[in-house]
């Protein structure tokens, strides 16, 4: 028996399907809009115990002195060129500067000072209640090279003032923290401060060359004493103002992890010969093809597999339309956002392991076919990948037996530190940011560079990377670049931030989240 399907039945069925589709769209739209207006994961804690018993009340003379101390620090060229080449005389001069401008820190019976690895510093400040687990503040003294000929508006070690900014290498990486931490402690000691909770200050002298003698030896010393740390705070992310498209307010990003790193050497060997009779492919051509493959075939987009998703979710309620709708509904728009992020180099670094070919060498004479060509590539590894996974991807991407791939150095991404409501370190840093910068929203983030803090993973599970320097559009290029600078106001704010952080850390327990 055959069933006759007439036109009326088809139209009726099509109408039902269309109705279902429209209802589905309406339901989806309602869910998206509803979540846009209600979504907020950035909770606030309840009533805090008041540990702020000392206020800075800086006089004009103190402001003048702290600025002068900072300028002198910038003028000392503590440059790390390589592991075998540092400006030792500058490091010695910097040591003398610290002792001269922070007399209370170095003479107080409360503070124990030790020189580690010849030029790094470890300060121990014992608290009144030894049962409270201590924390640690980190910063580094050394800086990367700088040449005025590159186009600086002021000599890079002049600490010259221009329109309210101090120009110089180290103003944002990382002498603002070195001087800010010690200046804050100096002011507290002058006012009779004795902490409730013990803490340490570690100032490395070779962070820019991976900290093999500074941070590594400080960690060894603390481990030998059985020290365990409640949290560690180092340099890293900053306060972004106008940098994130669509974000209506400045945001302080606290780095809860660092990307890993891998450096590989690529090389090709072939028979030499005269340039008048070249082979079909030269060693340079073969290697160039391999390099091109690495650059063209980028590592996979891994947005959402690491802490980078939480960054946007914590800031969602501060975005304007239509960004707020996207950030509040990443369950639906994750692919859209990740596609946008990978479109620019600075945000692409958050969503994948990045590939940077940094050195290429070959050839000895204009009319001689080179027998050997080599290149070096540096990879910054996404939090959800491992070093071994990246090395395998490199091999499969090149897929040419003529190209030798050698692992030079590297390490896995750092563990992701907690940023939950009951995590002491994260919440203390967040509260301190809001105390000093009430207009700023705080969010977890991923640090795409590496810091001395990566050596401290055995001492604490909670390591954070943040310094309260303000970054506005264009400022990220100043980091390790030309015209590194900091505003005079911002440096004062940094001193006040550490001044407040030391007191905020004296609470015994965090308050519960607000309901």
């Amino acid at each position: 028996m055959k069933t006759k399907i007439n036109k009326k039945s088809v139209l009726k069925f099509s109408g039902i399907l269309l109705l279902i589709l429209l209802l589905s769209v309406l339901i989806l739209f309602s869910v998206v809009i509803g979540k846009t207006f209600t979504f907020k994961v950035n909770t606030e804690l309840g009533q805090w115990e008041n540990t702020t018993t000392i206020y800075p009340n800086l006089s004009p003379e103190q402001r003048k002195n702290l600025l002068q101390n900072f300028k002198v620090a910038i003028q000392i060229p503590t440059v790390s060129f390589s592991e075998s080449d540092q400006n030792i005389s500058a490091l010695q001069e910097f040591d003398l500067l610290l002792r001269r401008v922070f007399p209370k820190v170095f003479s107080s019976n409360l503070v124990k000072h030790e020189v580690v690895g010849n030029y790094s510093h470890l300060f121990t400040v014992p608290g009144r209640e030894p049962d409270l687990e201590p924390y640690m503040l980190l910063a580094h003294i050394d800086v990367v090279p700088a040449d005025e000929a590159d186009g600086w508006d002021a000599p890079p070690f002049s600490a010259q003032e221009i329109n309210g900014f101090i120009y110089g290498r180290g103003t944002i990486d990382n002498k603002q923290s070195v001087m800010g931490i010690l200046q804050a402690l100096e002011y507290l000691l002058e006012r009779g401060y004795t902490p409730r909770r013990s803490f340490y200050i570690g100032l490395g002298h070779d962070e820019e060359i991976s900290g093999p003698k500074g941070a590594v030896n400080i960690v060894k010393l603390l481990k030998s004493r059985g020290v365990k740390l409640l949290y560690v705070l180092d340099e890293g992310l900053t306060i972004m103002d106008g940098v994130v498209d669509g974000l209506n307010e400045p945001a302080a990003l606290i780095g809860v992890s660092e990307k890993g790193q891998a450096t590989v050497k690529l090389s090709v060997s072939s028979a030499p010969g005269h340039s008048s009779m070249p082979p079909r492919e030269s060693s340079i051509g073969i290697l160039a093809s391999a390099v091109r493959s690495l650059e063209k075939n980028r590592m996979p987009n891994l947005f959402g597999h690491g802490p980078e998703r939480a960054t946007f979710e914590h800031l969602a309620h501060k975005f304007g339309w239509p960004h707020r709708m996207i950030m509040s509904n990443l369950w639906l728009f994750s692919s859209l956002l990740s596609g946008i992020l990978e479109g620019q180099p600075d945000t692409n670094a958050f969503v994948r392991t990045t590939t940077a070919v940094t050195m290429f060498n070959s050839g000895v004479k204009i009319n001689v076919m080179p027998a050997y060509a080599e290149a070096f590539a540096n990879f910054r590894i996404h939090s959800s990948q491992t070093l071994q996974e990246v090395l395998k991807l490199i091999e499969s991407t090149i897929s040419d037996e003529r190209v030798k791939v050698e692992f030079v150095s590297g390490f896995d991404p750092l563990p992701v530190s907690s940023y939950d409501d009951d995590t002491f370190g994260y919440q203390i840093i967040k509260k301190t940011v809001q105390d000093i910068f009430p207009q700023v929203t705080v969010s977890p983030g991923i640090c795409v560079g590496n810091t001395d803090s990566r050596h401290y993973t055995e001492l604490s599970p909670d390591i954070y990377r943040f310094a309260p320097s303000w970054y506005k559009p264009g400022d990220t290029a100043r980091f390790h670049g030309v015209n590194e600078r900091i505003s005079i106001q911002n440096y004062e704010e940094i001193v006040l931030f550490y001044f407040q952080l030391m007191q905020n850390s004296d609470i015994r327990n965090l308050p519960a989240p607000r309901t």
Side-chain angles (χ1 to χ4, degrees):
M1 180 178 177
K2 293 184 178 180
T3 303
K4 187 176 181 181
I5 302 176
N6 56 34
K7 186 176 180 181
K8 188 175 180 180
S9 299
V10 171
L11 288 173
K12 184 177 180 181
F13 183 70
S14 299
I16 293 172
L17 284 178
L18 182 60
L19 181 62
I20 292 172
L21 180 61
L22 286 173
L23 285 173
S24 299
V25 170
L26 284 172
I27 292 170
L28 180 63
F29 181 76
S30 299
V31 170
V32 168
I33 294 301
K35 200 159 188 180
T36 300
F37 285 104
T38 60
F39 183 80
K40 186 179 180 183
V41 296
N42 202 339
T43 57
E44 301 297 333
L45 301 188
Q47 185 65 40
W48 287 78
E49 176 187 350
N50 183 19
T51 55
T52 305
T53 57
I54 303 175
Y55 297 88
N57 299 321
L58 299 178
S59 67
E61 185 65 24
Q62 284 176 315
R63 284 193 163 89
K64 179 181 176 182
N65 288 339
L66 73 84
L67 183 60
Q68 182 58 34
N69 294 343
F70 181 60
K71 285 183 175 180
V72 176
I74 299 303
Q75 290 165 350
I76 301 174
T78 52
V79 178
S80 289
F81 296 97
S82 68
E83 288 194 24
S84 59
D85 186 6
Q86 284 189 276
N87 191 336
I88 299 304
S89 61
L91 290 171
Q92 293 170 334
E93 184 182 355
F94 199 87
D95 178 283
L96 295 175
L97 169 71
L98 295 182
R99 295 172 190 271
R100 176 171 61 82
V101 301
F102 303 124
K104 284 285 185 183
V105 172
F106 283 89
S107 65
S108 171
N109 292 329
L110 178 67
V111 182
K112 178 184 178 182
H113 170 248
E114 299 168 272
V115 174
V116 180
N118 295 323
Y119 309 105
S120 290
H121 299 267
L122 173 63
F123 301 88
T124 304
V125 187
R128 303 188 307 272
E129 299 183 20
D131 63 309
L132 296 179
E133 196 172 8
Y135 64 97
M136 189 164 190
L137 305 177
L138 304 180
H140 66 88
I141 295 165
D142 63 325
V143 299
V144 296
D147 189 342
E148 186 178 358
D150 291 335
W152 284 71
D153 293 339
F157 295 101
S158 66
Q160 184 176 325
E161 281 186 44
I162 302 176
N163 298 325
F165 287 87
I166 302 168
Y167 281 68
R169 182 63 86 219
T171 50
I172 56 175
D173 183 25
N174 176 238
K175 288 179 180 176
Q176 86 282 21
S177 291
V178 171
M179 301 300 286
I181 291 169
L182 292 184
Q183 189 70 72
L185 180 57
E186 181 79 6
Y187 285 150
L188 284 168
L189 293 173
E190 286 177 354
R191 291 158 173 78
Y193 174 69
T194 301
R196 184 182 189 181
R197 183 185 300 274
S198 301
F199 66 95
Y200 299 88
I201 298 170
L203 307 179
H205 74 277
D206 56 355
E207 189 273 349
E208 297 293 359
I209 49 175
S210 299
K213 296 179 181 177
V216 168
N217 284 322
I218 290 175
V219 170
K220 285 181 181 177
L221 185 59
L222 293 176
K223 279 183 65 179
S224 71
R225 296 171 180 171
V227 172
K228 291 293 182 182
L229 300 169
L230 182 58
Y231 77 89
V232 175
L233 176 61
D234 197 4
E235 62 163 338
L237 299 179
T238 60
I239 301 174
M240 302 290 188
D241 186 14
V243 176
V244 181
D245 186 35
L247 188 61
N248 293 331
E249 298 178 8
L253 304 186
I254 300 173
V256 295
S257 184
E258 293 180 12
K259 296 181 83 172
Q261 191 172 157
T263 298
V264 299
K265 176 183 176 182
L266 313 175
S267 61
V268 175
S269 298
S270 62
H274 198 281
S275 64
S276 63
M277 297 175 288
R280 187 165 186 168
E281 287 184 284
S282 67
S283 58
I284 292 177
I286 295 169
L287 185 58
S289 180
V291 166
R292 176 60 179 153
S293 292
L294 286 177
E295 291 184 331
K296 185 178 180 180
N297 300 290
R298 297 191 293 183
M299 294 285 173
N301 186 324
L302 295 169
F303 178 79
H305 296 274
E308 67 279 351
R309 175 169 175 161
T311 301
F312 296 96
E313 290 184 331
H314 277 69
L315 296 174
H317 63 295
K318 296 296 183 180
F319 276 91
W321 286 82
H323 299 82
R324 181 175 179 176
M325 184 173 68
I326 294 172
M327 307 308 171
S328 300
N329 293 277
L330 290 181
W331 59 275
L332 180 61
F333 297 119
S334 180
S335 296
L336 173 63
L337 178 59
S338 66
I340 294 170
L341 293 174
E342 69 180 0
Q344 297 294 329
D346 51 351
T347 51
N348 177 60
F350 289 100
V351 303
R352 61 165 39 87
T353 295
T354 53
T355 304
V357 181
T358 53
M359 298 175 67
F360 198 114
N361 303 302
S362 187
V364 293
K365 197 170 184 290
I366 194 69
N367 62 346
V368 176
M369 298 303 301
Y372 180 76
E374 68 176 16
F376 289 84
N378 182 248
F379 301 81
R380 299 302 173 107
I381 304 172
H382 187 271
S383 296
S384 65
Q385 285 185 307
T386 66
L387 174 61
Q388 289 304 314
E389 287 172 347
V390 169
L391 293 177
K392 288 179 181 178
L393 279 170
I394 295 169
E395 292 273 9
S396 63
T397 300
I398 294 174
S399 191
D400 189 335
E401 293 181 353
R402 298 171 298 177
V403 181
K404 184 178 181 182
V405 180
E406 298 175 78
F407 172 67
V408 177
S409 63
F411 48 87
D412 284 320
L414 276 293
V416 178
S417 300
S418 175
Y419 46 91
D420 294 336
D421 292 340
D422 58 354
T423 302
F424 189 93
Y426 182 83
Q427 294 300 334
I428 288 294
I429 298 166
K430 178 179 176 179
K431 173 170 170 50
T432 306
V433 170
Q434 293 172 333
D435 285 344
I436 307 299
F437 311 99
Q439 76 278 33
V440 170
T441 303
V442 180
S443 171
I446 179 74
C447 201
V448 298
N450 295 119
T451 70
D452 268 346
S453 68
R454 67 186 177 88
H455 300 294
Y456 286 77
T457 53
E458 293 183 77
L459 300 183
S460 178
D462 289 325
I463 297 175
Y464 303 100
R465 303 142 184 98
F466 171 77
S469 301
W470 285 81
Y471 273 28
K472 296 180 182 294
D475 283 344
T476 53
R478 303 179 192 276
F479 187 82
H480 282 200
V482 174
N483 286 330
E484 184 179 345
R485 69 181 189 179
I486 192 171
S487 72
I488 294 170
Q489 177 183 338
N490 191 199
Y491 177 62
E492 288 186 10
E493 291 169 339
I494 287 170
V495 174
L496 297 178
F497 172 83
Y498 291 113
F499 187 95
Q500 189 67 34
L501 179 71
M502 292 173 190
Q503 294 187 80
N504 284 348
S505 294
D506 276 342
I507 66 167
R508 177 172 283 275
N509 298 301
L510 292 175
R514 290 175 182 165
T515 56

